[in-house]
């Protein structure tokens, strides 16, 4: 009875923490609200941020400073930009922590054991990252599929007498996302003072595709030494179109092997988490010496097998 009450109270607390985090992330910043109040109600008493929000703001700012320049922070920021999610690294990590705590409490409520709490915590921490990675891959694939249309629009605009900036703006207006979002960002960066090569270099770093790198390299070379850019982009479009066709054939031929590698890696981990939640005392036997070597070696072999399977199915075109 006592364990059920503790689990229920912990579940309610975790739900409150999650909703409070969502409110703080989605709600307006008190600093911005104070600045708007200064312009909107001149002469009235300035609205001060509440005392409860100041420590949280200081904590978030301290975390931002601590993560600044770290390799993992740069990688997360790049993934967020590629996914077009308007979140900072600290906000994303806070959401991961909240999901992890909620999953851990739910696992403890179901299993009533520390191992079930750990399994739920691991699952809750993994869900935001998996969703982010899925969104990032789908968006990159969608951009890759639109690149030929981008080149066709740019070639037509250049041959009609417009400049490159007008061609980029035309691509941002005529195409759908994500190409429209990315090229609109390039146009805005150029308008804010960045050079053309810098703005296109930022686009390449966000999208991470070899075809886009080829296109941007051709544009930069043509900008420096001259030449008929429309003819060059037309030939690049033909090359990319043929490469997309060959990549599609390769993916069809290697689909079974790739799906098998995903299944073989995910199934033991998923079953281990489920068994840890449903019967934690049974699974605890594997984490006592000397049997603890079994899950460690199994995890290492999982990683090695997955890397080898991905290398075997990766064919460069």
């Amino acid at each position: 009875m006592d364990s059920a009450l503790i689990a229920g109270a912990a579940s309610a607390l975790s739900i409150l923490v999650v909703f409070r985090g969502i409110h703080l992330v989605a709600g307006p910043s008190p600093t911005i609200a104070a600045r708007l109040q200064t312009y909107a109600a001149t002469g009235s008493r300035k609205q001060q941020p509440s005392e409860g929000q100041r420590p949280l703001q200081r904590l978030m700012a301290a975390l931002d400073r601590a993560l600044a320049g770290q390799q993992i922070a740069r990688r997360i920021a790049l993934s967020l930009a590629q996914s077009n999610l308007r979140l900072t690294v600290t906000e994303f990590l806070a959401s991961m922590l909240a999901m992890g705590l909620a999953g851990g409490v739910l696992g403890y409520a179901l299993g009533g054991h520390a191992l079930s709490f750990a399994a739920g915590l691991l699952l809750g921490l993994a869900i935001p990252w998996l969703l982010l990675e899925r969104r990032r891959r789908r968006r990159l694939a969608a951009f890759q599929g639109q690149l030929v249309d981008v080149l066709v629009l740019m070639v037509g605009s250049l041959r009609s007498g417009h400049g490159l900036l007008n061609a980029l703006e035309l691509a941002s207006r005529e195409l759908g996302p994500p190409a429209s979002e990315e090229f609109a960002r390039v146009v805005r960066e150029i308008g804010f003072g960045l050079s053309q090569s810098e703005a296109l270099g930022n686009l390449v770093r966000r999208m991470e595709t070899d075809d886009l790198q080829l296109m941007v390299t051709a544009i930069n070379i043509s900008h420096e030494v001259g030449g008929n850019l429309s003819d060059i982009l037309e030939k690049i479009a033909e090359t990319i179109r043929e490469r997309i066709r060959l990549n599609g054939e390769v993916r069809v031929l290697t689909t079974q092997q790739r799906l098998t590698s995903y299944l073989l890696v995910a199934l033991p981990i998923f079953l281990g988490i489920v068994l840890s939640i449903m019967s934690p005392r049974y699974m605890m036997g594997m984490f006592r010496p000397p049997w603890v070597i079994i899950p460690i070696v199994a995890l290492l072999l999982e990683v090695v097998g997955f890397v080898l399977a991905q290398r075997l199915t990766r064919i460069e075109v």
Side-chain angles (χ1 to χ4, degrees):
M1 184 64 180
D2 294 337
S3 62
L5 290 176
I6 293 173
S11 301
L13 181 61
S14 65
I15 293 173
L16 290 176
V17 169
V18 171
F19 278 99
R20 178 60 177 167
I22 294 174
H23 171 72
L24 292 175
V25 171
S29 173
T31 305
I32 297 176
R35 292 166 60 188
L36 290 175
Q37 182 68 20
T38 304
Y39 292 99
T42 305
S44 62
R45 189 168 59 90
K46 185 184 295 184
Q47 182 182 1
Q48 298 292 335
S50 62
E51 295 296 330
Q53 290 177 336
R54 288 179 178 177
L56 181 61
Q57 290 178 355
R58 290 196 293 267
L59 178 61
M60 298 291 281
L63 290 175
D64 285 333
R65 290 192 297 269
L67 292 173
Q70 300 295 326
Q71 182 66 27
I72 183 64
R74 288 197 295 267
R75 183 61 207 176
I76 294 175
L78 179 60
S79 298
L80 291 172
Q82 291 172 341
S83 304
N84 199 29
L85 291 178
R86 302 182 184 277
L87 293 174
T88 63
V89 176
T90 306
E91 291 170 349
F92 177 73
L93 293 178
S95 66
M96 283 187 61
L97 180 60
M99 287 290 293
L101 290 176
V105 170
L106 181 61
Y108 183 81
L110 294 175
H113 197 275
L115 184 60
S116 61
F117 175 83
L121 178 67
L122 180 62
L123 185 61
L125 291 174
I127 286 176
W129 185 261
L130 293 176
L131 292 177
L132 175 66
E133 187 66 17
R134 180 174 178 268
R135 180 183 174 95
R136 184 185 76 88
R137 289 182 178 275
R138 292 182 63 180
R139 195 166 182 269
L140 290 179
F143 182 85
Q144 178 70 20
Q146 291 179 304
L147 197 55
V148 174
D149 297 333
V150 170
L151 290 170
V152 171
L153 280 175
M154 291 180 64
V155 168
S157 178
L158 291 173
R159 286 181 175 174
S160 63
H162 297 288
L164 179 62
L165 185 59
N166 296 107
L168 296 174
E169 187 176 359
L170 178 65
S172 67
R173 289 199 315 265
E174 297 297 330
L175 296 175
S180 60
E181 299 167 345
E182 292 300 327
F183 284 100
R185 186 176 298 179
V186 172
V187 173
R188 285 197 303 270
E189 288 180 353
I190 294 176
F192 288 152
L194 268 69
S195 65
Q196 174 183 300
S197 60
E198 289 175 340
L200 292 174
N202 293 335
L203 176 63
V204 171
R205 281 190 291 273
R206 287 194 302 271
M207 291 294 101
E208 294 182 335
T209 62
D210 296 334
D211 296 334
L212 180 63
Q213 176 69 58
L214 180 62
M215 166 186 158
V216 170
T217 302
I219 291 174
N220 290 334
I221 293 175
S222 176
H223 180 71
E224 293 177 1
V225 302
N228 194 339
L229 182 59
S230 61
D231 290 342
I232 297 174
L233 293 181
E234 186 177 14
K235 293 178 181 178
I236 292 176
E238 295 176 359
T239 303
I240 294 175
R241 190 180 292 111
E242 186 66 18
R243 182 181 296 177
I244 290 175
R245 185 185 65 82
L246 293 176
N247 279 327
E249 294 180 359
V250 170
R251 287 184 64 84
V252 169
L253 294 175
T254 59
T255 297
Q256 181 179 357
Q257 289 75 17
R258 288 186 291 106
L259 293 180
T260 301
S261 65
Y262 294 149
L263 181 63
L264 291 177
V265 169
L267 187 59
I269 298 175
F270 177 75
L271 289 178
I273 293 175
V274 171
L275 290 176
S276 298
I277 294 175
M278 295 179 60
S279 182
R281 290 175 179 81
Y282 174 77
M283 291 294 293
M284 276 299 295
M286 294 184 60
F287 294 93
R288 294 192 181 98
W291 309 112
V292 69
I293 195 65
I294 295 177
I296 295 176
V297 174
L299 184 61
L300 291 177
L301 292 178
E302 287 267 336
V303 174
V304 172
F306 180 74
V307 171
L308 291 177
Q310 291 298 307
R311 291 290 181 91
L312 291 174
T313 58
R314 185 179 302 169
I315 301 175
E316 298 292 338
V317 178

